[in-house]
Amino acid sequence: MTNEKTKQIIKLLKIVTFAVAIIAWMKMLYEVLQFPGGFGAQAPYCIAGTMLIFGIATGVYKGIEAWERRT
C-alpha cells in the first residue's frame, strides 16, 4: 500500500471514529433520559456512559495516531 493511500485511510478512520463516538453518545443520552426518576437517577448513568464512550474513542484515536507516526 502506498504511503499516500495509507494517509487517506488514516484520515478516514479518524473521521469515522469521531462520528461513531458522537452517534453512540447521542444514543446513550437519549436512552438515559428515558429513565424514570429524574436527574438524580439519570446523572450516574450519563456520566459513566460518557466516560466509557469517549474513553474507548480516545484509545482508538490514539492507536490510529500511533499507526500514523509509524508510516
Short mmCIF file of all heavy atoms in Angstrom, two decimals:
data_model
loop_
_atom_site.label_atom_id
_atom_site.label_comp_id
_atom_site.label_asym_id
_atom_site.label_seq_id
_atom_site.Cartn_x
_atom_site.Cartn_y
_atom_site.Cartn_z
N MET A 1 0.86 -1.17 0.00
CA MET A 1 0.00 0.00 0.00
C MET A 1 0.91 1.24 0.00
O MET A 1 1.86 1.32 0.75
CB MET A 1 -0.90 -0.02 1.24
CG MET A 1 -2.04 0.93 1.14
SD MET A 1 -3.25 0.91 2.50
CE MET A 1 -3.29 -0.71 3.11
N THR A 2 0.56 2.20 -0.79
CA THR A 2 1.37 3.41 -0.89
C THR A 2 1.18 4.28 0.35
O THR A 2 0.17 4.18 1.06
CB THR A 2 0.99 4.23 -2.14
OG1 THR A 2 -0.34 4.71 -1.99
CG2 THR A 2 1.13 3.41 -3.40
N ASN A 3 2.16 5.12 0.58
CA ASN A 3 2.13 6.00 1.74
C ASN A 3 0.95 6.99 1.66
O ASN A 3 0.31 7.28 2.66
CB ASN A 3 3.45 6.74 1.86
CG ASN A 3 3.66 7.33 3.22
OD1 ASN A 3 3.05 6.90 4.18
ND2 ASN A 3 4.54 8.30 3.31
N GLU A 4 0.69 7.49 0.46
CA GLU A 4 -0.43 8.44 0.29
C GLU A 4 -1.78 7.76 0.55
O GLU A 4 -2.66 8.33 1.18
CB GLU A 4 -0.39 9.01 -1.13
CG GLU A 4 -1.28 10.21 -1.32
CD GLU A 4 -0.89 11.39 -0.43
OE1 GLU A 4 0.31 11.61 -0.20
OE2 GLU A 4 -1.80 12.07 0.06
N LYS A 5 -1.92 6.52 0.09
CA LYS A 5 -3.16 5.77 0.32
C LYS A 5 -3.34 5.50 1.82
O LYS A 5 -4.45 5.61 2.35
CB LYS A 5 -3.09 4.45 -0.46
CG LYS A 5 -4.35 3.63 -0.39
CD LYS A 5 -5.43 4.23 -1.21
CE LYS A 5 -6.57 3.25 -1.30
NZ LYS A 5 -7.74 3.82 -1.91
N THR A 6 -2.25 5.17 2.51
CA THR A 6 -2.30 4.93 3.94
C THR A 6 -2.74 6.18 4.68
O THR A 6 -3.55 6.13 5.61
CB THR A 6 -0.93 4.46 4.46
OG1 THR A 6 -0.54 3.28 3.75
CG2 THR A 6 -0.97 4.14 5.94
N LYS A 7 -2.21 7.34 4.28
CA LYS A 7 -2.59 8.60 4.92
C LYS A 7 -4.07 8.89 4.74
O LYS A 7 -4.74 9.39 5.65
CB LYS A 7 -1.75 9.75 4.38
CG LYS A 7 -0.34 9.74 4.88
CD LYS A 7 0.45 10.92 4.35
CE LYS A 7 1.88 10.88 4.87
NZ LYS A 7 2.66 12.02 4.43
N GLN A 8 -4.61 8.57 3.57
CA GLN A 8 -6.04 8.77 3.32
C GLN A 8 -6.88 7.85 4.20
O GLN A 8 -7.91 8.27 4.75
CB GLN A 8 -6.37 8.51 1.85
CG GLN A 8 -5.86 9.57 0.91
CD GLN A 8 -6.13 9.22 -0.54
OE1 GLN A 8 -6.39 8.06 -0.88
NE2 GLN A 8 -6.06 10.22 -1.40
N ILE A 9 -6.44 6.60 4.34
CA ILE A 9 -7.16 5.65 5.18
C ILE A 9 -7.14 6.10 6.64
O ILE A 9 -8.16 6.04 7.34
CB ILE A 9 -6.57 4.23 5.03
CG1 ILE A 9 -6.89 3.68 3.63
CG2 ILE A 9 -7.09 3.29 6.11
CD1 ILE A 9 -6.19 2.40 3.29
N ILE A 10 -5.99 6.58 7.10
CA ILE A 10 -5.86 7.05 8.48
C ILE A 10 -6.79 8.24 8.72
O ILE A 10 -7.48 8.31 9.73
CB ILE A 10 -4.39 7.38 8.80
CG1 ILE A 10 -3.59 6.09 8.90
CG2 ILE A 10 -4.28 8.20 10.08
CD1 ILE A 10 -2.09 6.28 8.98
N LYS A 11 -6.81 9.17 7.78
CA LYS A 11 -7.69 10.34 7.93
C LYS A 11 -9.15 9.91 7.98
O LYS A 11 -9.92 10.40 8.82
CB LYS A 11 -7.46 11.30 6.77
CG LYS A 11 -8.25 12.58 6.88
CD LYS A 11 -7.92 13.53 5.75
CE LYS A 11 -8.75 14.81 5.89
NZ LYS A 11 -8.45 15.78 4.85
N LEU A 12 -9.54 8.98 7.12
CA LEU A 12 -10.91 8.48 7.11
C LEU A 12 -11.25 7.77 8.43
O LEU A 12 -12.33 7.97 8.98
CB LEU A 12 -11.13 7.53 5.93
CG LEU A 12 -12.51 6.91 5.81
CD1 LEU A 12 -13.55 8.00 5.55
CD2 LEU A 12 -12.53 5.88 4.71
N LEU A 13 -10.32 6.97 8.94
CA LEU A 13 -10.56 6.28 10.20
C LEU A 13 -10.73 7.25 11.36
O LEU A 13 -11.55 7.01 12.26
CB LEU A 13 -9.43 5.30 10.49
CG LEU A 13 -9.44 4.01 9.68
CD1 LEU A 13 -8.17 3.20 9.96
CD2 LEU A 13 -10.68 3.19 9.96
N LYS A 14 -9.99 8.34 11.36
CA LYS A 14 -10.15 9.35 12.41
C LYS A 14 -11.54 9.97 12.35
O LYS A 14 -12.19 10.16 13.38
CB LYS A 14 -9.08 10.44 12.27
CG LYS A 14 -7.72 10.02 12.73
CD LYS A 14 -6.75 11.16 12.56
CE LYS A 14 -5.37 10.85 13.10
NZ LYS A 14 -4.46 12.00 12.98
N ILE A 15 -12.00 10.28 11.15
CA ILE A 15 -13.33 10.87 10.98
C ILE A 15 -14.42 9.89 11.41
O ILE A 15 -15.37 10.25 12.11
CB ILE A 15 -13.53 11.34 9.52
CG1 ILE A 15 -12.60 12.51 9.22
CG2 ILE A 15 -14.99 11.70 9.25
CD1 ILE A 15 -12.51 12.87 7.75
N VAL A 16 -14.26 8.62 11.01
CA VAL A 16 -15.25 7.60 11.36
C VAL A 16 -15.27 7.39 12.88
O VAL A 16 -16.35 7.26 13.48
CB VAL A 16 -14.96 6.28 10.61
CG1 VAL A 16 -15.77 5.13 11.17
CG2 VAL A 16 -15.23 6.45 9.12
N THR A 17 -14.10 7.38 13.51
CA THR A 17 -14.03 7.22 14.97
C THR A 17 -14.79 8.34 15.66
O THR A 17 -15.57 8.11 16.59
CB THR A 17 -12.57 7.19 15.44
OG1 THR A 17 -11.90 6.10 14.80
CG2 THR A 17 -12.47 7.05 16.94
N PHE A 18 -14.56 9.57 15.22
CA PHE A 18 -15.25 10.72 15.79
C PHE A 18 -16.77 10.59 15.60
O PHE A 18 -17.54 10.77 16.54
CB PHE A 18 -14.74 12.01 15.15
CG PHE A 18 -15.51 13.23 15.54
CD1 PHE A 18 -15.35 13.78 16.80
CD2 PHE A 18 -16.41 13.81 14.67
CE1 PHE A 18 -16.08 14.90 17.19
CE2 PHE A 18 -17.14 14.93 15.04
CZ PHE A 18 -16.98 15.48 16.30
N ALA A 19 -17.20 10.26 14.39
CA ALA A 19 -18.63 10.16 14.09
C ALA A 19 -19.30 9.06 14.91
O ALA A 19 -20.38 9.27 15.47
CB ALA A 19 -18.84 9.92 12.60
N VAL A 20 -18.65 7.91 15.01
CA VAL A 20 -19.22 6.80 15.78
C VAL A 20 -19.33 7.17 17.26
O VAL A 20 -20.34 6.87 17.91
CB VAL A 20 -18.39 5.51 15.58
CG1 VAL A 20 -18.77 4.44 16.59
CG2 VAL A 20 -18.55 4.99 14.16
N ALA A 21 -18.33 7.84 17.79
CA ALA A 21 -18.36 8.26 19.20
C ALA A 21 -19.52 9.22 19.45
O ALA A 21 -20.25 9.08 20.44
CB ALA A 21 -17.03 8.89 19.60
N ILE A 22 -19.69 10.20 18.58
CA ILE A 22 -20.76 11.18 18.77
C ILE A 22 -22.13 10.51 18.64
O ILE A 22 -23.03 10.77 19.45
CB ILE A 22 -20.61 12.35 17.76
CG1 ILE A 22 -19.34 13.14 18.04
CG2 ILE A 22 -21.84 13.25 17.78
CD1 ILE A 22 -19.29 13.79 19.42
N ILE A 23 -22.29 9.65 17.66
CA ILE A 23 -23.58 8.96 17.47
C ILE A 23 -23.88 8.06 18.66
O ILE A 23 -25.01 8.06 19.17
CB ILE A 23 -23.59 8.18 16.14
CG1 ILE A 23 -23.60 9.15 14.97
CG2 ILE A 23 -24.77 7.22 16.07
CD1 ILE A 23 -23.33 8.53 13.62
N ALA A 24 -22.88 7.32 19.13
CA ALA A 24 -23.09 6.44 20.29
C ALA A 24 -23.42 7.26 21.53
O ALA A 24 -24.29 6.88 22.33
CB ALA A 24 -21.84 5.60 20.53
N TRP A 25 -22.77 8.41 21.70
CA TRP A 25 -23.02 9.27 22.85
C TRP A 25 -24.44 9.83 22.80
O TRP A 25 -25.15 9.84 23.82
CB TRP A 25 -21.99 10.39 22.88
CG TRP A 25 -22.10 11.31 24.04
CD1 TRP A 25 -21.99 10.98 25.36
CD2 TRP A 25 -22.34 12.71 24.00
NE1 TRP A 25 -22.13 12.11 26.13
CE2 TRP A 25 -22.35 13.19 25.33
CE3 TRP A 25 -22.53 13.62 22.96
CZ2 TRP A 25 -22.56 14.52 25.64
CZ3 TRP A 25 -22.73 14.95 23.28
CH2 TRP A 25 -22.74 15.38 24.61
N MET A 26 -24.87 10.28 21.63
CA MET A 26 -26.23 10.81 21.50
C MET A 26 -27.27 9.73 21.78
O MET A 26 -28.28 9.98 22.44
CB MET A 26 -26.42 11.43 20.11
CG MET A 26 -25.61 12.70 19.92
SD MET A 26 -25.62 13.33 18.25
CE MET A 26 -27.30 13.90 18.12
N LYS A 27 -27.04 8.51 21.29
CA LYS A 27 -27.95 7.40 21.53
C LYS A 27 -28.00 7.07 23.02
O LYS A 27 -29.08 6.85 23.59
CB LYS A 27 -27.49 6.18 20.72
CG LYS A 27 -28.23 4.90 20.99
CD LYS A 27 -29.62 4.93 20.47
CE LYS A 27 -30.23 3.53 20.60
NZ LYS A 27 -31.62 3.57 20.93
N MET A 28 -26.82 7.06 23.67
CA MET A 28 -26.77 6.79 25.09
C MET A 28 -27.53 7.86 25.88
O MET A 28 -28.30 7.55 26.79
CB MET A 28 -25.31 6.71 25.55
CG MET A 28 -25.10 6.38 27.02
SD MET A 28 -25.10 7.75 28.20
CE MET A 28 -23.93 8.89 27.52
N LEU A 29 -27.33 9.13 25.52
CA LEU A 29 -28.06 10.21 26.20
C LEU A 29 -29.56 10.05 26.04
O LEU A 29 -30.32 10.24 26.99
CB LEU A 29 -27.62 11.58 25.66
CG LEU A 29 -26.27 12.08 26.12
CD1 LEU A 29 -25.95 13.41 25.43
CD2 LEU A 29 -26.23 12.24 27.62
N TYR A 30 -30.00 9.72 24.84
CA TYR A 30 -31.43 9.52 24.60
C TYR A 30 -31.97 8.41 25.50
O TYR A 30 -33.03 8.57 26.13
CB TYR A 30 -31.68 9.17 23.13
CG TYR A 30 -33.11 8.83 22.84
CD1 TYR A 30 -34.07 9.83 22.75
CD2 TYR A 30 -33.51 7.51 22.71
CE1 TYR A 30 -35.40 9.52 22.50
CE2 TYR A 30 -34.83 7.19 22.47
CZ TYR A 30 -35.77 8.19 22.37
OH TYR A 30 -37.08 7.87 22.14
N GLU A 31 -31.24 7.30 25.58
CA GLU A 31 -31.70 6.18 26.41
C GLU A 31 -31.72 6.55 27.89
O GLU A 31 -32.66 6.22 28.62
CB GLU A 31 -30.81 4.95 26.19
CG GLU A 31 -30.90 4.36 24.80
CD GLU A 31 -32.26 3.79 24.48
OE1 GLU A 31 -32.93 3.28 25.39
OE2 GLU A 31 -32.66 3.86 23.30
N VAL A 32 -30.68 7.23 28.35
CA VAL A 32 -30.61 7.61 29.77
C VAL A 32 -31.71 8.59 30.12
O VAL A 32 -32.30 8.51 31.21
CB VAL A 32 -29.21 8.18 30.11
CG1 VAL A 32 -29.20 8.85 31.47
CG2 VAL A 32 -28.16 7.08 30.06
N LEU A 33 -32.01 9.51 29.24
CA LEU A 33 -33.05 10.49 29.53
C LEU A 33 -34.45 9.87 29.58
O LEU A 33 -35.38 10.50 30.08
CB LEU A 33 -33.01 11.63 28.51
CG LEU A 33 -31.77 12.52 28.62
CD1 LEU A 33 -31.75 13.54 27.49
CD2 LEU A 33 -31.68 13.19 29.97
N GLN A 34 -34.58 8.64 29.11
CA GLN A 34 -35.86 7.93 29.19
C GLN A 34 -36.05 7.26 30.56
O GLN A 34 -37.14 6.82 30.88
CB GLN A 34 -35.96 6.87 28.09
CG GLN A 34 -35.80 7.41 26.67
CD GLN A 34 -36.81 8.49 26.34
OE1 GLN A 34 -38.00 8.33 26.57
NE2 GLN A 34 -36.32 9.60 25.81
N PHE A 35 -34.98 7.17 31.35
CA PHE A 35 -35.08 6.54 32.66
C PHE A 35 -36.03 7.34 33.55
O PHE A 35 -35.99 8.57 33.55
CB PHE A 35 -33.72 6.49 33.36
CG PHE A 35 -32.72 5.53 32.79
CD1 PHE A 35 -31.44 5.48 33.30
CD2 PHE A 35 -33.03 4.68 31.75
CE1 PHE A 35 -30.49 4.62 32.79
CE2 PHE A 35 -32.11 3.81 31.23
CZ PHE A 35 -30.83 3.78 31.76
N PRO A 36 -36.84 6.64 34.36
CA PRO A 36 -37.67 7.36 35.32
C PRO A 36 -36.83 7.82 36.51
O PRO A 36 -35.75 7.30 36.75
CB PRO A 36 -38.69 6.30 35.74
CG PRO A 36 -38.00 5.00 35.52
CD PRO A 36 -37.08 5.22 34.35
N GLY A 37 -37.30 8.78 37.24
CA GLY A 37 -36.65 9.18 38.47
C GLY A 37 -35.94 10.51 38.42
O GLY A 37 -35.34 10.92 39.40
N GLY A 38 -35.97 11.17 37.32
CA GLY A 38 -35.38 12.50 37.25
C GLY A 38 -33.87 12.51 37.16
O GLY A 38 -33.22 11.49 36.97
N PHE A 39 -33.33 13.69 37.35
CA PHE A 39 -31.90 13.92 37.15
C PHE A 39 -31.04 13.10 38.11
O PHE A 39 -29.98 12.60 37.73
CB PHE A 39 -31.58 15.41 37.31
CG PHE A 39 -30.14 15.73 37.09
CD1 PHE A 39 -29.62 15.76 35.81
CD2 PHE A 39 -29.32 16.00 38.16
CE1 PHE A 39 -28.29 16.05 35.60
CE2 PHE A 39 -27.98 16.30 37.96
CZ PHE A 39 -27.47 16.33 36.67
N GLY A 40 -31.48 12.96 39.33
CA GLY A 40 -30.70 12.21 40.32
C GLY A 40 -30.46 10.77 39.91
O GLY A 40 -29.40 10.20 40.18
N ALA A 41 -31.44 10.15 39.28
CA ALA A 41 -31.29 8.77 38.83
C ALA A 41 -30.54 8.68 37.50
O ALA A 41 -29.87 7.69 37.23
CB ALA A 41 -32.67 8.13 38.67
N GLN A 42 -30.64 9.71 36.69
CA GLN A 42 -30.02 9.68 35.36
C GLN A 42 -28.55 10.06 35.36
O GLN A 42 -27.77 9.56 34.55
CB GLN A 42 -30.77 10.63 34.43
CG GLN A 42 -32.19 10.23 34.18
CD GLN A 42 -33.00 11.32 33.50
OE1 GLN A 42 -32.53 12.44 33.35
NE2 GLN A 42 -34.21 10.99 33.09
N ALA A 43 -28.15 10.94 36.25
CA ALA A 43 -26.79 11.50 36.24
C ALA A 43 -25.68 10.45 36.30
O ALA A 43 -24.74 10.53 35.51
CB ALA A 43 -26.63 12.52 37.36
N PRO A 44 -25.75 9.46 37.21
CA PRO A 44 -24.65 8.49 37.25
C PRO A 44 -24.48 7.72 35.94
O PRO A 44 -23.37 7.46 35.49
CB PRO A 44 -25.03 7.54 38.38
CG PRO A 44 -26.00 8.30 39.20
CD PRO A 44 -26.70 9.23 38.28
N TYR A 45 -25.61 7.35 35.32
CA TYR A 45 -25.54 6.62 34.06
C TYR A 45 -25.00 7.51 32.94
O TYR A 45 -24.23 7.06 32.09
CB TYR A 45 -26.92 6.08 33.67
CG TYR A 45 -27.41 5.02 34.61
CD1 TYR A 45 -28.36 5.31 35.59
CD2 TYR A 45 -26.94 3.72 34.52
CE1 TYR A 45 -28.81 4.34 36.46
CE2 TYR A 45 -27.39 2.73 35.38
CZ TYR A 45 -28.32 3.04 36.35
OH TYR A 45 -28.77 2.08 37.20
N CYS A 46 -25.41 8.76 32.96
CA CYS A 46 -24.95 9.71 31.94
C CYS A 46 -23.44 9.92 32.05
O CYS A 46 -22.71 9.89 31.06
CB CYS A 46 -25.70 11.03 32.11
SG CYS A 46 -25.31 12.23 30.83
N ILE A 47 -22.96 10.12 33.26
CA ILE A 47 -21.53 10.35 33.48
C ILE A 47 -20.73 9.10 33.11
O ILE A 47 -19.72 9.18 32.40
CB ILE A 47 -21.27 10.77 34.94
CG1 ILE A 47 -21.89 12.15 35.20
CG2 ILE A 47 -19.78 10.77 35.26
CD1 ILE A 47 -21.95 12.53 36.67
N ALA A 48 -21.16 7.95 33.59
CA ALA A 48 -20.44 6.71 33.32
C ALA A 48 -20.44 6.37 31.82
O ALA A 48 -19.41 5.98 31.27
CB ALA A 48 -21.05 5.57 34.12
N GLY A 49 -21.58 6.54 31.18
CA GLY A 49 -21.67 6.26 29.75
C GLY A 49 -20.79 7.18 28.93
O GLY A 49 -20.11 6.75 28.00
N THR A 50 -20.79 8.46 29.30
CA THR A 50 -19.95 9.43 28.59
C THR A 50 -18.48 9.08 28.75
O THR A 50 -17.72 9.09 27.78
CB THR A 50 -20.23 10.85 29.11
OG1 THR A 50 -21.60 11.17 28.87
CG2 THR A 50 -19.34 11.87 28.43
N MET A 51 -18.08 8.76 29.96
CA MET A 51 -16.67 8.40 30.20
C MET A 51 -16.30 7.14 29.43
O MET A 51 -15.20 7.07 28.85
CB MET A 51 -16.43 8.21 31.70
CG MET A 51 -16.48 9.50 32.48
SD MET A 51 -16.38 9.28 34.27
CE MET A 51 -14.82 8.47 34.44
N LEU A 52 -17.16 6.16 29.42
CA LEU A 52 -16.88 4.91 28.71
C LEU A 52 -16.76 5.13 27.21
O LEU A 52 -15.79 4.70 26.58
CB LEU A 52 -17.97 3.88 29.02
CG LEU A 52 -17.80 2.51 28.38
CD1 LEU A 52 -16.53 1.84 28.91
CD2 LEU A 52 -19.01 1.66 28.67
N ILE A 53 -17.74 5.80 26.63
CA ILE A 53 -17.74 6.02 25.18
C ILE A 53 -16.52 6.81 24.74
O ILE A 53 -15.81 6.43 23.81
CB ILE A 53 -19.05 6.72 24.74
CG1 ILE A 53 -20.22 5.75 24.87
CG2 ILE A 53 -18.94 7.25 23.31
CD1 ILE A 53 -21.58 6.38 24.76
N PHE A 54 -16.26 7.93 25.40
CA PHE A 54 -15.15 8.77 24.97
C PHE A 54 -13.80 8.19 25.40
O PHE A 54 -12.78 8.47 24.77
CB PHE A 54 -15.34 10.21 25.42
CG PHE A 54 -16.39 10.91 24.60
CD1 PHE A 54 -17.64 11.16 25.11
CD2 PHE A 54 -16.13 11.27 23.29
CE1 PHE A 54 -18.62 11.77 24.35
CE2 PHE A 54 -17.09 11.88 22.52
CZ PHE A 54 -18.34 12.13 23.04
N GLY A 55 -13.76 7.37 26.43
CA GLY A 55 -12.53 6.66 26.79
C GLY A 55 -12.14 5.67 25.71
O GLY A 55 -10.97 5.61 25.31
N ILE A 56 -13.11 4.90 25.23
CA ILE A 56 -12.84 3.96 24.15
C ILE A 56 -12.46 4.70 22.87
O ILE A 56 -11.50 4.32 22.19
CB ILE A 56 -14.06 3.04 23.92
CG1 ILE A 56 -14.23 2.10 25.12
CG2 ILE A 56 -13.90 2.24 22.64
CD1 ILE A 56 -15.54 1.33 25.13
N ALA A 57 -13.20 5.75 22.56
CA ALA A 57 -12.90 6.52 21.34
C ALA A 57 -11.50 7.13 21.41
O ALA A 57 -10.78 7.15 20.40
CB ALA A 57 -13.94 7.61 21.14
N THR A 58 -11.10 7.61 22.58
CA THR A 58 -9.76 8.17 22.74
C THR A 58 -8.70 7.10 22.52
O THR A 58 -7.68 7.33 21.86
CB THR A 58 -9.60 8.81 24.14
OG1 THR A 58 -10.56 9.85 24.27
CG2 THR A 58 -8.20 9.36 24.34
N GLY A 59 -8.92 5.91 23.06
CA GLY A 59 -7.98 4.80 22.86
C GLY A 59 -7.83 4.43 21.39
O GLY A 59 -6.72 4.23 20.90
N VAL A 60 -8.96 4.35 20.70
CA VAL A 60 -8.92 4.04 19.26
C VAL A 60 -8.19 5.13 18.51
O VAL A 60 -7.33 4.86 17.65
CB VAL A 60 -10.36 3.85 18.71
CG1 VAL A 60 -10.36 3.76 17.20
CG2 VAL A 60 -11.01 2.62 19.33
N TYR A 61 -8.49 6.38 18.82
CA TYR A 61 -7.86 7.53 18.15
C TYR A 61 -6.35 7.53 18.39
O TYR A 61 -5.56 7.76 17.47
CB TYR A 61 -8.49 8.83 18.64
CG TYR A 61 -8.20 10.02 17.75
CD1 TYR A 61 -9.01 10.30 16.67
CD2 TYR A 61 -7.12 10.85 18.01
CE1 TYR A 61 -8.75 11.40 15.86
CE2 TYR A 61 -6.85 11.94 17.20
CZ TYR A 61 -7.67 12.21 16.12
OH TYR A 61 -7.40 13.28 15.31
N LYS A 62 -5.94 7.24 19.63
CA LYS A 62 -4.51 7.18 19.95
C LYS A 62 -3.83 6.05 19.17
O LYS A 62 -2.69 6.18 18.73
CB LYS A 62 -4.28 7.01 21.44
CG LYS A 62 -4.66 8.21 22.26
CD LYS A 62 -3.69 9.34 22.00
CE LYS A 62 -3.97 10.49 22.93
NZ LYS A 62 -3.10 11.61 22.72
N GLY A 63 -4.52 4.93 19.02
CA GLY A 63 -3.99 3.82 18.23
C GLY A 63 -3.80 4.22 16.78
O GLY A 63 -2.79 3.87 16.15
N ILE A 64 -4.77 4.94 16.23
CA ILE A 64 -4.67 5.42 14.84
C ILE A 64 -3.51 6.40 14.71
O ILE A 64 -2.75 6.35 13.73
CB ILE A 64 -6.00 6.05 14.39
CG1 ILE A 64 -7.11 4.98 14.32
CG2 ILE A 64 -5.83 6.72 13.04
CD1 ILE A 64 -8.50 5.55 14.13
N GLU A 65 -3.35 7.27 15.70
CA GLU A 65 -2.22 8.23 15.66
C GLU A 65 -0.88 7.51 15.75
O GLU A 65 0.08 7.93 15.09
CB GLU A 65 -2.35 9.25 16.78
CG GLU A 65 -3.39 10.31 16.52
CD GLU A 65 -3.42 11.38 17.59
OE1 GLU A 65 -3.07 11.10 18.76
OE2 GLU A 65 -3.78 12.51 17.24
N ALA A 66 -0.79 6.45 16.54
CA ALA A 66 0.44 5.67 16.62
C ALA A 66 0.76 5.04 15.26
O ALA A 66 1.91 5.02 14.82
CB ALA A 66 0.33 4.61 17.70
N TRP A 67 -0.27 4.51 14.62
CA TRP A 67 -0.10 3.95 13.27
C TRP A 67 0.37 5.03 12.30
O TRP A 67 1.24 4.80 11.47
CB TRP A 67 -1.42 3.32 12.83
CG TRP A 67 -1.41 2.73 11.45
CD1 TRP A 67 -0.35 2.19 10.79
CD2 TRP A 67 -2.53 2.60 10.57
NE1 TRP A 67 -0.74 1.74 9.56
CE2 TRP A 67 -2.08 1.98 9.40
CE3 TRP A 67 -3.86 2.95 10.67
CZ2 TRP A 67 -2.91 1.70 8.34
CZ3 TRP A 67 -4.70 2.66 9.61
CH2 TRP A 67 -4.23 2.05 8.46
N GLU A 68 -0.21 6.22 12.43
CA GLU A 68 0.16 7.34 11.56
C GLU A 68 1.64 7.72 11.75
O GLU A 68 2.33 8.01 10.77
CB GLU A 68 -0.74 8.54 11.87
CG GLU A 68 -0.54 9.73 10.97
CD GLU A 68 -1.52 10.85 11.26
OE1 GLU A 68 -1.94 10.99 12.44
OE2 GLU A 68 -1.86 11.58 10.32
N ARG A 69 2.12 7.70 12.97
CA ARG A 69 3.52 8.04 13.23
C ARG A 69 4.47 6.99 12.65
O ARG A 69 5.58 7.31 12.25
CB ARG A 69 3.77 8.18 14.73
CG ARG A 69 3.30 9.49 15.30
CD ARG A 69 3.78 9.70 16.72
NE ARG A 69 3.36 8.66 17.65
CZ ARG A 69 2.21 8.65 18.32
NH1 ARG A 69 1.35 9.65 18.14
NH2 ARG A 69 1.90 7.67 19.13
N ARG A 70 4.04 5.73 12.60
CA ARG A 70 4.88 4.67 12.05
C ARG A 70 4.96 4.71 10.54
O ARG A 70 5.87 4.13 9.97
CB ARG A 70 4.35 3.31 12.50
CG ARG A 70 4.62 2.99 13.95
CD ARG A 70 4.36 1.54 14.26
NE ARG A 70 3.05 1.09 13.81
CZ ARG A 70 1.98 0.93 14.58
NH1 ARG A 70 2.07 1.20 15.86
NH2 ARG A 70 0.85 0.49 14.09
N THR A 71 4.00 5.37 9.88
CA THR A 71 4.03 5.40 8.41
C THR A 71 4.83 6.56 7.90
O THR A 71 5.13 7.50 8.55
CB THR A 71 2.61 5.48 7.82
OG1 THR A 71 1.96 6.67 8.27
CG2 THR A 71 1.80 4.26 8.18
#
